[in-house]
Amino acid sequence: VIAWPESSQGVQEYLTTVDGVAFYKVRATGTMTNANVMNACATAGMGYLCNDSGFGPCTNFWYPGCVRFGSRDTSCWTHQALSIALCGEREPWSCEVLDKTFVYNTQGNGGAYGMDYEAGYFIFDGTAYNNKFALCAVMKSANGITP
């Protein structure tokens, strides 16, 4: 197990804004479980995200408590919506900035759901990964970010 220096824990990187929601990747500490993703986002003062956006019909892999975002022009899948916005790619595993980023997984055994850029696939169970990144979000207001 790799232990990150305490100064890197909770480090935030702004990614983009989609439909009035600002997205960040936040360094998480420990195994990439749903609980760890939720905790990393809460510690950073942000909300956590699900596989789906929670907008309109995009609720199959969404959980009450996840940040809801989107419009009819936005992909249902959180990683895909961000990949399109950040990299112009529909396949999120082709967008390097999303490598080892995880969201709340509504399926499975409590492991978070993520992306692996090097391997080129989804990570359906984050319990085999440690000290990676949680995708977190906050709503933006006209005057800046809403806490």
Side-chain angles (χ1 to χ4, degrees), residues 109-134:
N109 66 353
Y113 180 87
M115 284 300 121
D116 191 321
Y117 173 77
E118 289 90 4
Y121 60 77
F122 295 106
I123 299 166
F124 294 103
D125 181 3
T127 59
Y129 293 80
N130 294 292
N131 305 317
K132 301 305 178 190
F133 298 93

Side-chain angles (χ1 to χ4, degrees), residues 2-108:
I2 297 171
W4 294 102
E6 194 167 320
S7 62
S8 71
Q9 296 172 8
V11 171
Q12 307 169 18
E13 177 186 343
Y14 170 75
L15 297 175
T16 190
T17 298
V18 176
D19 297 317
V21 176
F23 294 88
Y24 293 81
K25 76 191 232 190
V26 176
R27 173 70 70 188
T29 305
T31 305
M32 297 310 296
T33 61
N34 287 335
N36 197 20
V37 166
M38 292 168 64
N39 183 57
C41 293
T43 299
M46 298 182 205
Y48 61 97
L49 296 155
C50 281
N51 299 21
D52 278 1
S53 68
F55 179 83
C58 304
T59 57
N60 288 336
F61 302 107
W62 187 82
Y63 181 79
C66 290
V67 173
R68 185 182 308 255
F69 72 95
S71 70
R72 60 182 196 173
D73 297 325
T74 305
S75 170
C76 281
W77 296 335
T78 299
H79 276 100
Q80 186 177 62
L82 293 177
S83 180
I84 291 167
L86 291 164
C87 300
E89 294 281 346
R90 293 194 60 78
E91 293 82 18
W93 52 84
S94 298
C95 185
E96 188 170 9
V97 72
L98 295 177
D99 187 39
K100 307 302 188 303
T101 58
F102 289 81
V103 297
Y104 187 94
N105 186 356
T106 60
Q107 309 291 309

